[in-house]
Amino acid sequence: MSSLYDFLHSEESRRGAVEAGWLGSFLFLLLALWALAAGAGWGLVLIAFALSVSEAGISLAGGTLFKLPSLGPWPVVVLQLFMTALWSFLLPGLDGFPLTALYVLILYGSSLYLKIYPVLFTAAASIVLMNLSYLHDLNFFHSPSGISLNPLEWTGFAGQIFSTLILLFFASAFPGRQRIIRRLIRQQQTYFDMVRDKNSSLSDSLDLFIKGFGLSIREGEVLGVLILGRTYRMIAGELFISLDTVKSHVKSIYRKCGVGSREELLETLRETALAGHPESD
């Protein structure tokens, strides 16, 4: 993989981690509300609410605090599965479709990290935990003698099978997200390569352009990367400056050159290259 591919993939992973954090915050908020509605102790409500606030803080921080680099999404996924399963065992009514929906939410969140193993683990764990909760509600573990040997006679068995099939469906669908993202990244890379090749000839006119329009040295450096089709975040990474600094330099370049967009800037640069000298006031 090229460095550009790595950069784009890391950006998509970062966005996914942030989105997964917001989903985790929503999940824990739902658990807090469920505990409140079920009349559980305030301890359960406060635990779930505190986790919701923590996940929201993680997202605001860019998805990097709780998601340890060496472990990736594992701590978050395991915590979400544990809390959801615990709530299904402790609180009445958290079964059937509501519980399935919570596990689908966790499953989708695990797919946002663009890694296959957390998705597979979450799918397997969700199916096992959901069915254990169902058996617990049937008192299967406490009074097995009172349970019919024919599962078809169990209360809600058909619905449980349907819920399991729903999880299996999403478990097979969500991993495809990674292939889609990789394909989009390759398309982005192809586009950047095309723009770079198209505008590489303009680099020869940069010095004259910079002097003619009175650009600073730093603005010239930003311009040299900007015409290659790089995003602001990529420019910041290549020049080791902040994103806000890049935006400030680009705004200044546009103002000095009398343009309002990258396309207008490139057109002005092409006209300068053809004319052999920049227009000056």
Side-chain angles (χ1 to χ4, degrees):
M1 292 187 296
S2 66
S3 58
L4 177 57
Y5 183 94
D6 292 338
F7 176 84
L8 293 173
H9 190 276
S10 66
E11 283 296 292
E12 290 297 331
S13 298
R14 183 188 62 81
R15 294 190 190 98
V18 172
E19 185 178 345
W22 286 117
L23 285 176
S25 177
F26 179 65
L27 170 73
F28 289 129
L29 180 60
L30 289 178
L31 293 179
L33 294 176
W34 196 280
L36 186 63
W42 280 101
L44 295 179
V45 176
L46 292 177
I47 288 174
F49 184 74
L51 289 173
S52 177
V53 173
S54 298
E55 281 286 346
I58 293 166
S59 295
L60 291 174
T64 57
L65 294 181
F66 210 2
K67 300 160 183 59
L68 303 176
S70 59
L71 298 178
W74 292 105
V76 179
V77 168
V78 170
L79 179 61
Q80 291 175 355
L81 288 170
F82 173 77
M83 289 292 293
T84 303
L86 183 63
W87 256 236
S88 69
F89 280 96
L90 293 179
L91 304 180
L94 187 55
D95 53 11
F97 177 77
L99 183 60
T100 304
L102 292 180
Y103 280 125
V104 169
L105 184 67
I106 300 173
L107 185 58
Y108 175 69
S110 68
S111 71
L112 296 174
Y113 297 95
L114 303 184
K115 296 178 181 179
I116 186 65
Y117 293 112
V119 181
L120 297 178
F121 169 79
T122 304
S126 297
I127 292 173
V128 170
L129 292 172
M130 184 181 67
N131 283 283
L132 285 176
S133 175
Y134 170 69
L135 294 176
H136 175 267
D137 291 340
L138 288 177
N139 290 323
F140 183 85
F141 303 107
H142 296 90
S143 57
S145 58
I147 303 298
S148 172
L149 296 177
N150 184 4
L152 295 177
E153 298 179 358
W154 295 355
T155 304
F157 181 75
Q160 189 66 18
I161 293 297
F162 183 68
S163 296
T164 302
L165 291 176
I166 290 177
L167 282 178
L168 286 173
F169 169 78
F170 284 109
S172 62
F174 287 152
R177 171 187 173 88
Q178 301 177 60
R179 294 191 296 272
I180 294 174
I181 292 296
R182 283 196 293 267
R183 183 168 69 250
L184 291 176
I185 289 175
R186 292 192 182 96
Q187 291 175 353
Q188 285 180 286
Q189 184 173 16
T190 300
Y191 168 76
F192 283 129
D193 290 342
M194 179 187 67
V195 172
R196 180 197 60 200
D197 296 339
K198 180 179 179 180
N199 296 328
S200 59
S201 60
L202 299 179
S203 300
D204 298 335
S205 304
L206 278 182
D207 289 340
L208 195 61
F209 189 88
I210 292 170
K211 293 178 182 178
F213 285 98
L215 303 183
S216 67
I217 296 177
R218 202 51 160 172
E219 289 170 349
E221 293 174 348
V222 171
L223 176 62
V225 184
L226 186 68
I227 65 173
L228 298 181
R230 300 291 194 263
T231 65
Y232 288 177
R233 191 174 296 277
M234 294 169 68
I235 295 174
E238 291 189 27
L239 298 181
F240 302 101
I241 55 180
S242 69
L243 184 59
D244 289 337
T245 301
V246 173
K247 293 179 180 179
S248 177
H249 284 318
V250 172
K251 184 177 180 180
S252 178
I253 292 172
Y254 286 174
R255 178 179 55 79
K256 291 181 180 180
C257 297
V259 300
S261 66
R262 187 186 309 217
E263 290 72 20
E264 293 180 9
L265 179 66
L266 292 173
E267 185 61 31
T268 301
L269 187 53
R270 292 190 187 98
E271 292 175 357
T272 299
L274 291 175
H277 59 83
E279 300 174 1
S280 57
D281 296 333

